[in-house]
mmCIF file of all heavy atoms in Angstrom:
data_model
loop_
_atom_site.group_PDB
_atom_site.id
_atom_site.type_symbol
_atom_site.label_atom_id
_atom_site.label_comp_id
_atom_site.label_asym_id
_atom_site.label_seq_id
_atom_site.Cartn_x
_atom_site.Cartn_y
_atom_site.Cartn_z
ATOM 1 N N PHE Y 156 16.502 -32.758 -12.076
ATOM 2 C CA PHE Y 156 15.883 -34.009 -12.473
ATOM 3 C C PHE Y 156 16.015 -34.155 -14.045
ATOM 4 O O PHE Y 156 15.976 -33.172 -14.733
ATOM 5 C CB PHE Y 156 14.420 -34.026 -12.039
ATOM 6 C CG PHE Y 156 14.268 -34.007 -10.607
ATOM 7 C CD1 PHE Y 156 14.242 -32.802 -9.866
ATOM 8 C CD2 PHE Y 156 14.186 -35.177 -9.901
ATOM 9 C CE1 PHE Y 156 14.053 -32.815 -8.450
ATOM 10 C CE2 PHE Y 156 14.034 -35.213 -8.477
ATOM 11 C CZ PHE Y 156 14.014 -34.005 -7.874
ATOM 12 N N THR Y 157 16.037 -35.409 -14.416
ATOM 13 C CA THR Y 157 15.898 -35.656 -15.897
ATOM 14 C C THR Y 157 14.442 -35.444 -16.241
ATOM 15 O O THR Y 157 13.565 -35.326 -15.295
ATOM 16 C CB THR Y 157 16.247 -37.152 -16.166
ATOM 17 O OG1 THR Y 157 15.280 -37.995 -15.546
ATOM 18 C CG2 THR Y 157 17.665 -37.455 -15.777
ATOM 19 N N GLU Y 160 12.165 -38.178 -14.730
ATOM 20 C CA GLU Y 160 12.061 -38.097 -13.363
ATOM 21 C C GLU Y 160 11.177 -36.880 -12.878
ATOM 22 O O GLU Y 160 10.253 -37.023 -11.992
ATOM 23 C CB GLU Y 160 13.445 -37.760 -12.692
ATOM 24 C CG GLU Y 160 14.422 -38.997 -12.756
ATOM 25 C CD GLU Y 160 15.834 -38.629 -12.399
ATOM 26 O OE1 GLU Y 160 16.115 -37.501 -11.997
ATOM 27 O OE2 GLU Y 160 16.736 -39.482 -12.689
ATOM 28 N N THR Y 197 10.535 -48.174 -11.189
ATOM 29 C CA THR Y 197 11.257 -48.386 -9.923
ATOM 30 C C THR Y 197 12.626 -47.661 -9.896
ATOM 31 O O THR Y 197 12.991 -47.004 -8.881
ATOM 32 C CB THR Y 197 11.613 -49.926 -9.765
ATOM 33 O OG1 THR Y 197 10.428 -50.625 -10.143
ATOM 34 C CG2 THR Y 197 12.032 -50.263 -8.316
ATOM 35 N N VAL Y 198 13.384 -47.658 -10.927
ATOM 36 C CA VAL Y 198 14.701 -46.976 -11.076
ATOM 37 C C VAL Y 198 14.489 -45.471 -10.925
ATOM 38 O O VAL Y 198 15.205 -44.819 -10.195
ATOM 39 C CB VAL Y 198 15.335 -47.341 -12.429
ATOM 40 C CG1 VAL Y 198 16.540 -46.497 -12.674
ATOM 41 C CG2 VAL Y 198 15.664 -48.812 -12.540
ATOM 42 N N HIS Y 199 13.427 -45.023 -11.682
ATOM 43 C CA HIS Y 199 13.234 -43.518 -11.599
ATOM 44 C C HIS Y 199 12.799 -43.076 -10.150
ATOM 45 O O HIS Y 199 13.129 -41.977 -9.691
ATOM 46 C CB HIS Y 199 12.194 -43.099 -12.659
ATOM 47 C CG HIS Y 199 12.780 -42.951 -13.974
ATOM 48 N ND1 HIS Y 199 13.217 -43.936 -14.779
ATOM 49 C CD2 HIS Y 199 13.105 -41.834 -14.628
ATOM 50 C CE1 HIS Y 199 13.738 -43.581 -15.884
ATOM 51 N NE2 HIS Y 199 13.668 -42.245 -15.869
ATOM 52 N N ILE Y 200 11.899 -43.884 -9.562
ATOM 53 C CA ILE Y 200 11.472 -43.553 -8.152
ATOM 54 C C ILE Y 200 12.746 -43.485 -7.218
ATOM 55 O O ILE Y 200 12.838 -42.574 -6.406
ATOM 56 C CB ILE Y 200 10.430 -44.637 -7.673
ATOM 57 C CG1 ILE Y 200 9.186 -44.520 -8.465
ATOM 58 C CG2 ILE Y 200 10.261 -44.407 -6.106
ATOM 59 C CD1 ILE Y 200 8.228 -43.329 -8.098
ATOM 60 N N LYS Y 201 13.628 -44.408 -7.386
ATOM 61 C CA LYS Y 201 14.729 -44.512 -6.588
ATOM 62 C C LYS Y 201 15.658 -43.234 -6.766
ATOM 63 O O LYS Y 201 16.053 -42.631 -5.794
ATOM 64 C CB LYS Y 201 15.621 -45.668 -6.965
ATOM 65 C CG LYS Y 201 16.867 -45.957 -6.137
ATOM 66 C CD LYS Y 201 17.394 -47.365 -6.511
ATOM 67 C CE LYS Y 201 18.758 -47.642 -5.695
ATOM 68 N NZ LYS Y 201 19.921 -46.792 -6.237
ATOM 69 N N LYS Y 202 15.810 -42.857 -7.999
ATOM 70 C CA LYS Y 202 16.561 -41.589 -8.343
ATOM 71 C C LYS Y 202 15.863 -40.375 -7.743
ATOM 72 O O LYS Y 202 16.638 -39.422 -7.166
ATOM 73 C CB LYS Y 202 16.716 -41.440 -9.887
ATOM 74 C CG LYS Y 202 17.516 -42.490 -10.531
ATOM 75 C CD LYS Y 202 18.809 -41.928 -11.134
ATOM 76 C CE LYS Y 202 19.693 -42.968 -11.700
ATOM 77 N NZ LYS Y 202 19.204 -43.629 -13.030
ATOM 78 N N ILE Y 203 14.600 -40.273 -7.867
ATOM 79 C CA ILE Y 203 13.868 -39.117 -7.285
ATOM 80 C C ILE Y 203 14.040 -39.055 -5.805
ATOM 81 O O ILE Y 203 14.312 -38.024 -5.205
ATOM 82 C CB ILE Y 203 12.390 -39.184 -7.669
ATOM 83 C CG1 ILE Y 203 12.108 -39.040 -9.182
ATOM 84 C CG2 ILE Y 203 11.526 -38.078 -6.901
ATOM 85 C CD1 ILE Y 203 10.742 -39.401 -9.627
ATOM 86 N N ARG Y 204 13.887 -40.249 -5.141
ATOM 87 C CA ARG Y 204 13.967 -40.256 -3.703
ATOM 88 C C ARG Y 204 15.406 -39.868 -3.209
ATOM 89 O O ARG Y 204 15.586 -39.131 -2.212
ATOM 90 C CB ARG Y 204 13.730 -41.709 -3.172
ATOM 91 C CG ARG Y 204 12.312 -41.985 -3.129
ATOM 92 C CD ARG Y 204 12.088 -43.442 -2.731
ATOM 93 N NE ARG Y 204 10.724 -43.764 -2.420
ATOM 94 C CZ ARG Y 204 10.218 -44.986 -2.392
ATOM 95 N NH1 ARG Y 204 11.064 -46.029 -2.640
ATOM 96 N NH2 ARG Y 204 8.927 -45.201 -2.079
ATOM 97 N N GLU Y 205 16.391 -40.255 -3.997
ATOM 98 C CA GLU Y 205 17.828 -39.869 -3.531
ATOM 99 C C GLU Y 205 17.921 -38.359 -3.640
ATOM 100 O O GLU Y 205 18.711 -37.756 -2.847
ATOM 101 C CB GLU Y 205 18.789 -40.452 -4.531
ATOM 102 C CG GLU Y 205 19.054 -42.009 -4.279
ATOM 103 C CD GLU Y 205 19.775 -42.639 -5.425
ATOM 104 O OE1 GLU Y 205 20.164 -42.013 -6.445
ATOM 105 O OE2 GLU Y 205 19.944 -43.870 -5.291
ATOM 106 N N LYS Y 206 17.147 -37.660 -4.404
ATOM 107 C CA LYS Y 206 17.171 -36.235 -4.533
ATOM 108 C C LYS Y 206 16.345 -35.420 -3.487
ATOM 109 O O LYS Y 206 16.627 -34.297 -3.057
ATOM 110 C CB LYS Y 206 16.900 -35.762 -5.919
ATOM 111 C CG LYS Y 206 18.000 -36.233 -6.910
ATOM 112 C CD LYS Y 206 17.578 -35.974 -8.344
ATOM 113 C CE LYS Y 206 18.477 -36.701 -9.268
ATOM 114 N NZ LYS Y 206 18.184 -36.487 -10.689
ATOM 115 N N ILE Y 207 15.146 -35.991 -3.152
ATOM 116 C CA ILE Y 207 14.281 -35.284 -2.288
ATOM 117 C C ILE Y 207 14.045 -35.834 -0.881
ATOM 118 O O ILE Y 207 13.557 -35.169 -0.019
ATOM 119 C CB ILE Y 207 12.851 -35.104 -2.994
ATOM 120 C CG1 ILE Y 207 12.191 -36.451 -3.198
ATOM 121 C CG2 ILE Y 207 13.028 -34.283 -4.287
ATOM 122 C CD1 ILE Y 207 10.778 -36.248 -3.617
#
Side-chain angles (χ1 to χ4, degrees):
F156 295 87
T157 64
E160 286 167 13
T197 316
V198 172
H199 279 72
I200 292 284
K201 184 171 176 284
K202 294 243 173 77
I203 293 168
R204 279 177 173 160
E205 283 165 4
K206 293 172 193 180
I207 62 167

